[in-house]
Amino acid sequence: MEVITTENLTKKYGSLLALDNLNLRIRQGRCVGLLGPNGAGKSTTIKLLCGLIRPSKGRAYINGIDPASDPKDALRDVGCLIEVPIFYRNRTPLEILYYLGRLRGLKFPELRERARECLELVRLSQWSKTKVKKFSLGMVQRLGIAQAILHDPSILILDEPALGLDPRGIRHVRDMTKELVRQGKTVIFSSHMLYETREICDTVALINRGRLLAYDRIENLEKIFNIRMVEIETVRPLSVHQLEKIKRLKPVRSVVNGGNGGNIIKINFDGDRNTCAELHAELVTNVGAKIISFKPSVGALEEVYLQLVQE
Ligand code: ADP
Ligand code: MG
């Protein structure tokens, strides 16, 4: 079943076309990454879905209801986190969740229990009675996720939830989102970070300058472009001669230094899993590389992304 659809959804700010005829269909239980560089139109899309701004043209539907005309019903089963949340600085997470929970029609004692659960999920239990003004950006962001899930919605719309967080904060957000997907929720997650999108989402909607460039499952996107990458770690850095030999192998498109003092290289090649196995054999027998590890690299989506954005 499709829980979110958009039909030619378009937004103009004055003469600027921020979103250009977006058509998306999102099925229940999917985790869709809305991926694009800054200014691509991610927040605009999310604000339209959440009924915060009105489309210039087209429509959106959440569970069949248009948030522009009937926001209350459309958003009943939706939790949102948009850009950076702002909370009353002199209040504590518990006070804030009780307040927002009552606004959403939750009542004690369930509200108390639910607030406790949500704070636990975002790992803020021990700070539940500390004023928000003492919080780091990451903690505020986590409280933002807690308020989004407070009424246990089945749809979550998160706009760059990891923005501005340190690596530990990013991991927390990632683990939390994965947990919510595992619970069966439908999640839209916007990001300008490929790596993060790849880790969390099963499907990617690539947007740039307000236009949808691709919308498919991650593995299909990689297949369409027939791009494969392997990351190889060797005992010693390969010699110039060896690298030249690799570049001359038939399926190889490019070879890049992957760091670690030259012990890691990334090979970009055309082909399938068999090609990958043949490549491995060539490297060992012909090139004489002493391989420690040989693994398909997470960079492949990045290649697809760069190609699309450049085109
Ligand atoms: P993203 O979230 O992908 O970074 P946005 O959706 O925020 O992108 O913005 C898309 C484009 O619309 C950008 O060029 C941005 O400058 C412009 N924009 C966003 N909000 C407004 C606004 N309220 N008024 C005018 N232009 C806006
Ligand atoms: Mg944004």
Side-chain angles (χ1 to χ4, degrees), residues 38-39 41-44 47 83 159-160 163 190:
N38 289 331
K42 303 181 296 293
S43 294
T44 299
K47 286 173 189 166
E83 291 175 337
D159 187 17
E160 304 218 35
L163 192 68
S190 88

Side-chain angles (χ1 to χ4, degrees), residues 58-128:
R59 277 169 172 266
Y61 298 96
I62 299 181
N63 287 324
I65 307 168
D66 184 348
S69 55
D70 195 355
K72 210 170 162 194
D73 279 334
L75 300 174
R76 201 174 292 281
D77 198 20
V78 178
C80 307
L81 174 68
I82 298 178
E83 291 175 337
V84 181
I86 295 167
F87 297 109
Y88 294 117
R89 292 171 45 76
N90 275 319
R91 297 289 177 191
T92 68
L94 265 188
E95 289 168 335
I96 290 167
L97 293 185
Y98 287 169
Y99 170 71
L100 293 172
R102 283 199 300 266
L103 281 183
R104 293 199 179 116
L106 299 177
K107 294 194 173 65
F108 288 107
E110 298 90 276
L111 176 53
R112 185 178 300 123
E113 180 55 21
R114 194 55 207 152
R116 197 191 57 76
E117 278 172 22
C118 293
L119 289 176
E120 195 173 300
L121 186 86
V122 301
R123 297 176 215 176
L124 283 177
S125 299
Q126 67 187 113
W127 307 99
S128 67

Side-chain angles (χ1 to χ4, degrees), residues 11-14 16-19 34-47 53 83 159-160 190-192 207 209-210:
K11 180 69 186 176
K12 279 185 181 165
Y13 295 111
L16 179 91
L17 189 54
L19 193 65
L34 197 56
L35 179 66
N38 289 331
K42 303 181 296 293
S43 294
T44 299
T45 306
I46 283 178
K47 286 173 189 166
I53 53 175
E83 291 175 337
D159 187 17
E160 304 218 35
S190 88
S191 174
H192 65 278
I207 63 171
R209 296 188 195 179

